[in-house]
Amino acid sequence: MTERKKDLLVLSALLGLLILFFSNILFTDKIIRAPDIINEFYWGVLDIHQKGFVKAFSYNIFSAGWDIFTNSGSTAEGGGNATQLLLYLKLIFLLIPVPASVAWCIVLHLFFGAAGLYLYCRAIGLSRPAAFLGGVIFALAPENASLINAGHVMKIATISFAPWAFYFFERGFQSRRAIFFLAAGLILALQFFNTHWQIAFYTCLGIGVYGVFRSLAILRSAEERTTFPLPRLVGMNLVVMFFFLSTVAISLVPLANWSKDTNRGMQSGANQGKGGLDREEAMMWSLPPEELASFVIPGFYGLSRQEGGENPTNISSYYWGRMVFTQTVSYMGLLPWLLLPLPLIFRRDRYTWLAVMAVAGGVLFSMGKFTPFYNFLFDYFPGINRFRVPKMMMFIPVMGLGVLAARGIDLLRDVEVRGTRAFRRYILGLLTVPVLLLLLLGAELLGREFWTGRFYEMLSQPTRYEQGPQLVTQRWNNLVAETGIAAGLAALFALAFGAFYRGLLPVKMLLAALLALFLADVGRIDNKFMFLIKVPEKSRKVKTPVMEFVGRESKQYRVLPMNGGDPMHYISQEIPVMFTSNAVQQRRWQELLDAFSLTSSMPDMLNVKYLVYSPEQYAQEKSMLGDKYRPVFRSPDGQELVLENRDVLPKGWLVPAAIVVNDTAQTLEILRNPTFNPRRLAVVESPPPLSMAPPSLEAIENPGEVKLSRYEGEHITVTARVARNALLVLGEKHYRGWKASVDGSRAEIYPVNHLLRGIYLTPGEHTVEFVFDPLPFKVGKYLTLASFAFFALMLAREIRLRWVKSEE
């Protein structure tokens, strides 16, 4: 059997193990109870599954895309289109029935990442059993696997590409061949296409650090320096960076342009005017130092959270630590930590130190605001302040720990190592671990009153889901129980190592015992994060009576659910809604939302024709809403009431007068004023290029009429009959990617009423066209296509060279 076939056999065994481990979520008609899956991801999967192969693969990735249904019109400038290049995702969703396909997508990605770490371990000279354990740790470590509980499917998918990037990067350093450096850049781009940009950014940071230290190691070796001279070494590192940037351009270039004007962009005012998040928000998900105890005692600060419903019965206490909340756990299994000292004692080479840097550096980074290190990066390193949740870096320590544990397995198998005095000291050290944990357990049991009194404030801290003095007892009992379990597990590991050292357990039996104990250890924790429920009965594929009613209206008008209804349910029925919740919004849009008032003309300008209320809510707010909104429909079950906005404006209208206001707060104050009439007056930011009617003139003749002739995502056409100089205002967001023409000639689009688009028109009949065609997307698109073509040529060249070599 060839070496490649042996590796494939081991990887097949790895896949089989993962399928068995996750079988309860794979072979079921239920769905993972995670809000992000139940409310969002599942419906997208269901839509793909029901479309079938032809429609699912007919999406046009080369169009920047303007969504008329979401947030009063929205776009990422085509930055998310590259997900359509991940064809395997659609195959999973098409070939595997829902809802199981969601879990299969997660597990297959975990296997993909585990396979990447396995190959990396093999590339640095580790045995197959050792590399197998490294892959198992990556896939099953609760730090990664508990993301299932949060429903972060694409986050898991993005993480799974990271080991492959390091694998190809290392192969490049070893072989000195450009194809591997190009492959590393390609993998980083594909990782980015999985849309979790923070994970992709952190992977790039890790690759950068790896490249610097790996290069320095080569330069320190006279032998390696002769075969890989400095110019070529620097050049290959630059190949990874530039090929990544060119390949990812279809996403990165438009997203970089899009992000400038978001509430995290350079002009957002956050982070003291430098853009990004402010310090407090960015760092509130930092890993508190005391939670390092969870690396050994996983339930020290509780487990899970009631984000999607009540906690499963196998959880005694949910998270009560200092982070805002967490749906995951920072545990990586006890075995990797027990094996970590071996390479530090016996194999202190470049790969050990790189893995140690991954573990120590990743944990330090994850601690965020609790360290000067992260605060320095936040202030001075580009990109760090664009993200929150520093703890999201923890997938890097999982990889480093997997490599160190794998190296530890090979050292256990080394007869010479086992015969040293240092190995005996190592075994003695392992035996002290359960002793220390038992001493801790004794201190907890005997000093219960002392410790609960000393930490009463922390133990009694209420959450959104639990309050009351009983929390102290609940949490302390859970802490004691988890300490006892950790002590028992450490004792079993110590027993296995001790029996092995005494010659009572052969090495193969030891490896089997360690794997079994590791699976039992992480299985106990992971099982708490794989809670299943029945598929939600409320399907977005079914129109409610309210949706039937409002859906009869033209798509130029919008709906605003005020009763807590899911706006995405309306969007799935192609009913435009005014607002959907999103952490990142366009700056102007967010400012208008912050100032939004139903009694002002703001909903009129945004073409909000219908509000959806509950009858009880409407009864309470009826006096405030006044005559502006009137009930026009009640659902048969009496639970929903539709109100019609009697003052709603059409998609386009002409305004005879304008005032110039350059202060955002003043503009929003004018718009909030119930007496402001957007039909008679427009608020602009620069002097009009045409002579307009004086704003103070009370009676101004009607400037004309506007007719909408085409309203599509990226193309809007109106005809205007203009009686006098006027400003054509469109009830659509002003956005720099839109281009306009009047009677075939280019025309400038001006921001009007803070958010909308406007074009000045002279008297006469005009045809005005708006086309969404942002330049950054076009540039990025062609760069990506060129990169794919170049990689295909280089790969063909590589295959040809290997074929010729084999013929010789």
Side-chain angles (χ1 to χ4, degrees):
M1 185 181 293
T2 65
E3 294 299 305
R4 180 172 297 178
K5 287 182 179 180
K6 290 179 182 178
D7 284 329
L8 289 174
L9 186 62
V10 174
L11 289 175
S12 298
L14 178 58
L15 176 60
L17 175 64
L18 297 189
I19 290 175
L20 287 173
F21 188 90
F22 292 108
S23 59
N24 65 312
I25 65 172
L26 295 177
F27 303 102
T28 179
D29 59 353
K30 294 183 177 181
I31 193 168
I32 297 164
R33 192 211 68 186
D36 283 6
I37 290 177
I38 296 169
N39 298 330
E40 300 293 336
F41 193 81
Y42 168 71
W43 304 105
V45 171
L46 183 63
D47 183 61
I48 292 173
H49 189 78
Q50 292 179 342
K51 278 181 178 178
F53 281 86
V54 176
K55 289 186 178 179
F57 287 99
S58 62
Y59 186 83
N60 181 13
I61 68 168
F62 300 119
S63 172
W66 181 271
D67 179 6
I68 65 173
F69 301 106
T70 307
N71 262 328
S72 298
S74 64
T75 186
E77 292 194 30
N81 287 9
T83 56
Q84 302 301 318
L85 296 171
L86 306 175
L87 303 180
Y88 71 91
L89 283 176
K90 289 187 176 180
L91 286 175
I92 292 173
F93 302 144
L94 287 166
L95 296 175
I96 302 175
V98 291
S101 55
V102 176
W104 276 97
C105 179
I106 292 171
V107 173
L108 289 175
H109 274 109
L110 288 173
F111 166 70
F112 180 68
L117 194 63
Y118 171 87
L119 292 176
Y120 174 84
C121 290
R122 294 288 291 144
I124 63 173
L126 302 187
S127 68
R128 289 186 180 87
F132 180 85
L133 178 66
V136 170
I137 290 172
F138 179 87
L140 302 186
E143 172 60 45
N144 285 345
S146 63
L147 290 169
I148 294 171
N149 177 69
H152 292 169
V153 182
M154 298 314 294
K155 181 177 177 181
I156 293 172
T158 309
I159 287 172
S160 74
F161 280 81
W164 287 89
F166 286 94
Y167 164 67
F168 283 116
F169 204 28
E170 176 58 31
R171 285 295 306 275
F173 282 118
Q174 291 180 6
S175 68
R176 280 65 166 163
R177 300 187 69 85
I179 188 66
F180 290 109
F181 290 101
L182 290 172
L186 177 65
I187 288 294
L188 290 172
L190 293 175
Q191 183 192 43
F192 193 91
F193 293 162
N194 277 274
T195 71
H196 204 293
W197 303 312
Q198 184 171 359
I199 295 295
F201 177 70
Y202 287 169
T203 304
C204 288
L205 290 181
I207 284 288
V209 172
Y210 191 95
V212 168
F213 283 90
R214 189 68 174 82
S215 299
L216 290 175
I218 290 173
L219 294 175
R220 288 184 61 188
S221 169
E223 182 180 350
E224 289 184 287
R225 194 165 59 243
T226 58
T227 59
F228 209 164
L230 178 62
R232 182 173 175 80
L233 182 62
V234 173
M236 289 298 101
N237 278 278
L238 292 177
V239 162
V240 176
M241 182 177 70
F242 286 114
F243 190 70
F244 160 67
L245 292 174
S246 64
T247 308
V248 82
I250 192 173
S251 288
L252 188 59
V253 175
L255 285 172
N257 187 61
W258 166 83
S259 67
K260 292 177 184 176
D261 198 35
T262 66
N263 52 357
R264 296 186 187 179
M266 291 302 293
Q267 304 304 318
S268 67
N271 192 24
Q272 295 80 48
K274 294 184 290 185
L277 295 166
D278 63 52
R279 187 178 299 271
E280 181 179 356
E281 182 181 2
M283 298 189 186
M284 63 174 56
W285 278 275
S286 301
L287 179 68
E290 68 271 14
E291 290 193 28
L292 297 182
S294 297
F295 290 174
V296 177
I297 307 173
F300 202 91
Y301 290 93
L303 296 166
S304 188
R305 189 153 177 101
Q306 295 171 323
E307 294 292 329
E310 291 298 318
N311 265 335
T313 56
N314 61 357
I315 292 177
S316 301
S317 177
Y318 66 89
Y319 179 75
W320 52 273
R322 281 200 286 169
M323 282 192 291
V324 176
F325 70 86
T326 180
Q327 297 166 296
T328 62
V329 62
S330 302
Y331 192 56
M332 291 170 273
L334 184 59
L335 177 61
W337 295 108
L338 297 178
L339 292 172
L340 182 146
L342 283 171
L344 289 176
I345 298 170
F346 298 103
R347 292 288 186 276
R348 291 193 293 268
D349 60 12
R350 65 184 62 172
Y351 296 116
T352 291
W353 291 123
L354 283 168
V356 168
M357 287 173 59
V359 175
V363 171
L364 186 65
F365 187 100
S366 298
M367 291 169 67
K369 66 181 179 182
F370 301 105
T371 68
F373 170 69
Y374 188 84
N375 279 275
F376 176 83
L377 292 178
F378 184 85
D379 288 330
Y380 299 107
F381 195 91
I384 297 293
N385 61 24
R386 295 299 191 273
F387 302 106
R388 56 185 184 179
V389 196
K391 186 183 177 293
M392 213 172 283
M393 175 65 85
M394 283 297 293
F395 72 98
I396 294 289
V398 173
M399 285 195 295
L401 202 56
V403 172
L404 291 170
R407 302 205 90 187
I409 288 294
D410 272 351
L411 290 166
L412 284 176
R413 300 172 69 216
D414 190 321
V415 177
E416 291 185 6
V417 167
R418 299 203 301 265
T420 63
R421 184 176 298 177
F423 187 77
R424 185 177 66 178
R425 288 198 296 267
Y426 164 75
I427 293 296
L428 290 174
L430 289 184
L431 298 178
T432 65
V433 175
V435 174
L436 293 174
L437 286 170
L438 286 171
L439 289 174
L440 175 61
L441 179 62
E444 292 170 355
L445 291 171
L446 297 175
R448 176 189 180 95
E449 297 300 323
F450 172 78
W451 295 116
T452 54
R454 185 175 181 85
F455 296 102
Y456 181 84
E457 184 177 349
M458 188 175 186
L459 287 165
S460 63
Q461 187 70 29
T463 70
R464 287 180 288 174
Y465 304 100
E466 288 187 328
Q467 303 84 32
Q470 80 283 355
L471 292 180
V472 175
T473 300
Q474 177 206 96
R475 290 166 176 173
W476 185 257
N477 289 342
N478 178 74
L479 188 155
V480 172
E482 287 292 327
T483 304
I485 293 171
L489 180 67
L492 290 174
F493 275 119
L495 182 64
F497 278 106
F500 168 69
Y501 183 72
R502 300 286 296 184
L504 302 176
L505 198 64
V507 65
K508 289 184 178 180
M509 292 295 293
L510 172 69
L511 299 184
L514 294 181
L515 178 61
L517 286 172
F518 175 77
L519 292 176
D521 178 19
V522 297
R524 181 182 78 90
I525 303 302
D526 287 341
N527 187 50
K528 301 175 188 294
F529 293 88
M530 293 186 288
F531 190 53
L532 299 172
I533 60 170
K534 292 181 179 180
V535 176
E537 294 180 3
K538 180 182 176 183
S539 172
R540 289 182 181 166
K541 290 298 171 183
V542 178
K543 277 189 177 182
T544 65
V546 164
M547 292 175 189
E548 290 281 1
F549 177 81
V550 299
R552 300 183 194 126
E553 189 59 75
S554 167
K555 287 183 173 56
Q556 66 177 292
Y557 292 109
R558 300 186 174 104
V559 176
L560 178 57
M562 297 292 293
N563 61 342
D566 181 8
M568 297 303 295
H569 194 178
Y570 289 83
I571 292 168
S572 71
Q573 299 297 328
E574 296 191 342
I575 298 171
V577 297
M578 176 195 151
F579 170 73
T580 59
S581 178
N582 196 316
V584 183
Q585 303 275 16
Q586 291 305 116
R587 180 175 55 88
R588 286 177 180 263
W589 176 238
Q590 185 65 61
E591 290 168 348
L592 185 131
L593 289 176
D594 293 340
F596 186 76
S597 169
L598 284 174
T599 58
S600 71
S601 61
M602 291 180 179
D604 314 339
M605 298 184 301
L606 292 170
N607 310 129
V608 178
K609 189 169 184 177
Y610 297 112
L611 308 180
V612 182
Y613 269 79
S614 67
E616 297 78 15
Q617 185 184 9
Y618 176 62
Q620 294 175 358
E621 300 181 16
K622 182 177 180 180
S623 58
M624 181 270 290
L625 296 173
D627 296 331
K628 181 181 175 73
Y629 303 96
R630 64 177 183 181
V632 291
F633 181 80
R634 191 184 186 108
S635 63
D637 62 4
Q639 299 300 307
E640 292 184 302
L641 193 64
V642 178
L643 309 182
E644 182 179 2
N645 179 7
R646 303 170 68 182
D647 297 333
V648 65
L649 289 164
K651 184 56 65 180
W653 66 94
L654 294 171
V655 184
I659 57 170
V660 179
V661 179
N662 290 313
D663 181 73
T664 297
Q666 186 180 354
T667 297
L668 294 172
E669 190 61 34
I670 293 171
L671 298 179
R672 279 179 58 88
N673 192 323
T675 64
F676 175 72
N677 184 354
R679 288 184 179 272
R680 313 302 293 170
L681 183 65
V683 182
V684 296
E685 300 172 11
S686 59
L690 302 177
S691 176
M692 306 285 287
S696 58
L697 191 63
E698 292 186 4
I700 308 175
E701 65 180 29
N702 185 0
E705 60 182 28
V706 178
K707 181 180 179 182
L708 181 69
S709 56
R710 181 177 183 180
Y711 183 57
E712 299 172 357
E714 296 150 20
H715 202 150
I716 301 174
T717 304
V718 299
T719 55
R721 185 174 296 171
V722 186
R724 57 178 299 159
N725 288 348
L727 177 61
L728 168 67
V729 181
L730 205 66
E732 296 285 311
K733 290 177 181 173
H734 180 272
Y735 195 84
R736 55 183 173 270
W738 283 91
K739 308 293 188 298
S741 65
V742 177
D743 301 327
S745 300
R746 285 289 300 271
E748 184 174 355
I749 303 175
Y750 294 87
V752 180
N753 296 344
H754 188 64
L755 185 74
L756 305 180
R757 303 176 210 160
I759 292 182
Y760 291 96
L761 298 176
T762 57
E765 292 191 12
H766 302 286
T767 299
V768 184
E769 290 189 275
F770 296 86
V771 177
F772 187 59
D773 188 27
L775 179 62
F777 177 71
K778 288 194 290 188
V779 172
K781 173 177 63 179
Y782 291 121
L783 281 172
T784 294
L785 290 174
S787 294
F788 280 146
F790 178 72
F791 185 80
L793 288 173
M794 292 295 291
L795 185 60
R797 176 178 176 272
E798 182 73 14
I799 294 172
R800 181 178 177 276
L801 289 174
R802 292 194 177 192
W803 182 77
V804 170
K805 186 176 181 180
S806 65
E807 288 293 308
E808 294 176 353

